[in-house]
Amino acid sequence: MRTAGDLVARMQLNRGMRIDAAKSYVADKLGASVPDLADSVTMAELREDLDIGVVCEAPGVAKGIDAKFKIAKLLELDINCVSMFRERVGL
Amino acid sequence: MGKIVARMGDGDRVDMTETEVQQDLEEGTQDAADRAKIPPLTSDEIAYLMELYRRKDRVVGVEDSKACCLSYDNQTSKIERAHIPVSKFQQLALFERCLGADTLELTHIDYSFKQVKHVVMYDKPNMEQAVLSTIAPIFYGAMPNLGLYSVPDGPVPNPMDLIPMDRIDEAREAYAQMVEYAISDMVYVGSQLYEFGGCDGINFDTTAASGDAEFYAALKAAEILHEKYPKMGIEMGMSGEFILGMHAEIEYDGVRLAGLYPHEQVKLCEKAGVTIFGPAINIVTNQSLPWNLARSITFTKACSEASNIPVHANLGMGVGGVPLVLHPPLDALSRASKAHVEICRLDGL
């Protein structure tokens, strides 16, 4: 969460992607470079800009399920709890 | 030749000469290669490990470009075990926002699917709330723990009572019954936490601790869950490098499970629908850490090369070249982590 480990881990867990493929995929979707993914300064700014949640919560930045809605869209990935949320509230 | 401060597999510090370290590295890798019929480490890889032990740094880390993800086992029991009165939600928030965890895992303190079945109605709403307030991918995890299904903990005659009496067929029948109970519990818990709790995946931890029958049960449960929920993430972490042949004849997809090593285990996991595989290489406590590390990396490298799915090797107390102590020393843990990730090109730990 300090960088992009949660995003890369999602691609590993739910798509079975190996590390290099997962990093490239995430970097592409974020409009960043692969080295950026492991840089906490770059990623803190990028995460705030994209509003996908930051490790040190700031006012007005997406938290919890809000951030996951945005991550699902950004990574073009079905996130189980996001799909369930949509269904529950009739989105 | 300088002296190197290393450790034994039980964590005790020992002074070794460079010649002794070199010899242990070579013997450790050869031990793994002979057992699993896989290539030993190359001379360059041995030289890399030698250099790692020459370094005086207390803590070492991976190269920037080789950073990988971390997943956990029994995550929300770690803080509970320290008797710090913090709820599971608070623990997940601590892992995510204080420790920067890449992944989260909600667990029950009695970390076995059989025990979880009884509290699933409580952990389901816990998961429902956890997914609303956290961002990192979240697992529900437990151990298959086949032993809990036999007497005195469960309903089935204990194969370990029957085998010494030469009642082999009855012991195998007992294993078959235990497997059915275990599959049923794993599929039930996995389905409840995924379909109603909203987790991203299920973690089967310490798989095959009871041998080949337990590995079979976990593979079947993974297969059923994958068919039921194709988008579900499934991590399967193992308990040791070698599948014990307690049943000895049980097969999955035509492959006899007894005696399989990690590079063979991972192929069956792929077939079952597992998305992350966790090889576990046990420590030999009366051998040095250089011996253990070279041995562990040899098994894990062959596994990573054979795998089409991400590999998160188990590195912790007593596995992956880390000493068998409750609080692994940083010098040993960081060296084992760096060497595994860089030589085996791991996806995570």
Side-chain angles (χ1 to χ4, degrees):
Chain A
M1 276 290 295
R2 290 174 66 247
T3 54
D6 60 318
L7 308 175
V8 175
R10 282 197 181 279
M11 304 319 296
Q12 292 190 353
L13 177 65
N14 295 109
R15 293 265 178 90
M17 282 185 179
R18 297 215 60 177
I19 188 89
D20 292 335
K23 282 183 180 177
S24 296
Y25 183 89
V26 170
D28 183 50
K29 294 295 177 189
L30 263 55
S33 68
V34 170
D36 285 344
L37 297 183
D39 182 68
S40 57
V41 175
T42 306
M43 280 310 301
E45 290 171 1
L46 189 56
R47 291 188 79 113
E48 197 162 337
D49 289 347
L50 294 168
D51 206 19
I52 54 173
V54 292
V55 72
C56 291
E57 290 202 343
V61 175
K63 296 170 184 65
I65 193 81
D66 305 15
K68 285 194 275 197
F69 264 78
K70 294 178 177 175
I71 290 169
K73 191 174 174 191
L74 193 67
L75 297 183
E76 296 179 49
L77 178 73
D78 284 333
I79 296 180
N80 189 26
C81 62
V82 170
S83 304
M84 287 172 66
F85 191 100
R86 282 184 203 280
E87 203 175 308
R88 276 203 303 271
V89 299
L91 279 175
Chain B
M1 285 273 185
K3 225 171 217 181
I4 290 174
V5 180
R7 292 180 188 273
M8 296 299 288
D10 64 2
D12 276 352
R13 288 202 298 185
V14 285
D15 286 343
M16 298 177 75
T17 64
E18 290 200 6
T19 309
E20 287 169 335
V21 172
Q22 176 83 21
Q23 190 178 329
D24 277 10
L25 289 170
E26 286 169 2
E27 287 179 8
T29 189
Q30 200 55 52
D31 182 79
D34 291 345
R35 286 172 189 272
K37 298 181 176 54
I38 52 177
L41 296 180
T42 64
S43 53
D44 283 353
E45 287 161 346
I46 294 287
Y48 164 99
L49 291 175
M50 191 69 216
E51 187 52 38
L52 201 56
Y53 280 107
R54 278 196 196 106
R55 289 173 65 164
K56 303 289 183 195
D57 309 66
R58 184 157 180 252
V59 179
V60 296
V62 296
E63 287 173 25
D64 230 7
S65 62
K66 291 179 178 166
C68 65
C69 299
L70 297 186
S71 52
Y72 301 77
D73 67 323
N74 213 352
Q75 189 178 56
T76 56
S77 297
K78 306 290 187 204
I79 294 174
E80 204 169 339
R81 276 195 214 138
H83 304 287
I84 300 169
V86 177
S87 76
K88 288 184 187 181
F89 294 134
Q90 290 166 323
Q91 289 181 49
L92 293 171
L94 284 168
F95 270 103
E96 181 178 272
R97 278 160 251 163
C98 292
L99 302 173
D102 298 322
T103 62
L104 304 173
E105 189 198 28
L106 184 73
T107 64
H108 174 47
I109 187 74
D110 201 347
Y111 194 57
S112 298
F113 280 100
K114 181 179 178 234
Q115 313 302 71
V116 168
K117 180 180 61 178
H118 306 296
V119 296
V120 80
M121 74 287 269
Y122 302 110
D123 263 356
K124 206 164 43 172
N126 282 340
M127 182 63 83
E128 283 182 88
Q129 293 182 65
V131 298
L132 293 176
S133 61
T134 58
I135 297 171
I138 182 165
F139 292 92
Y140 191 84
M143 301 187 295
N145 207 344
L146 199 70
L148 287 181
Y149 296 92
S150 65
V151 171
D153 300 303
V156 181
N158 194 322
M160 291 303 102
D161 293 333
L162 299 168
I163 290 171
M165 293 188 277
D166 203 24
R167 292 160 66 181
I168 305 299
D169 289 345
E170 288 171 73
R172 286 190 174 134
E173 179 52 34
Y175 271 124
Q177 288 177 40
M178 290 156 70
V179 162
E180 289 308 312
Y181 283 124
I183 293 171
S184 167
D185 286 352
M186 288 186 274
V187 171
Y188 170 69
V189 171
S191 301
Q192 291 293 309
L193 269 299
Y194 184 78
E195 192 173 336
F196 303 106
C199 68
D200 295 288
I202 295 295
N203 182 18
F204 295 93
D205 181 56
T206 323
T207 301
S210 300
D212 49 355
E214 181 173 318
F215 189 30
Y216 176 80
L219 288 168
K220 285 304 285 185
E223 180 188 302
I224 294 166
L225 285 169
H226 179 65
E227 278 173 18
K228 226 173 145 182
Y229 312 110
K231 291 175 183 169
M232 174 194 264
I234 301 174
E235 179 162 4
M236 190 172 290
M238 305 304 288
S239 56
E241 65 268 20
F242 178 77
I243 303 293
L244 294 169
M246 307 308 291
H247 180 290
E249 287 185 344
I250 200 160
E251 294 182 353
Y252 179 80
D253 199 39
V255 178
R256 184 170 176 250
L257 300 182
L260 294 186
Y261 282 95
H263 65 290
E264 299 157 321
Q265 296 162 15
V266 69
K267 301 313 288 179
L268 296 181
C269 287
E270 283 176 17
K271 281 185 186 169
V274 169
T275 53
I276 298 178
F277 178 69
I281 316 303
N282 295 125
I283 204 93
V284 179
T285 52
N286 59 359
Q287 292 282 2
S288 72
L289 283 191
W291 187 92
N292 276 289
L293 187 57
R295 181 175 181 272
S296 178
I297 288 173
T298 307
F299 283 126
T300 308
K301 185 184 169 209
C303 171
S304 184
E305 285 174 354
S307 180
N308 293 308
I309 56 173
V311 175
H312 286 203
N314 283 274
L315 264 79
M317 49 179 181
V319 287
V322 178
L324 185 60
V325 288
L326 274 177
H327 304 288
L330 282 177
D331 55 290
L333 183 62
S334 65
R335 275 170 178 73
S337 301
K338 176 179 170 65
H340 274 85
V341 170
E342 292 184 348
I343 293 180
C344 308
R345 195 61 197 104
L346 289 183
D347 307 273
L349 296 171

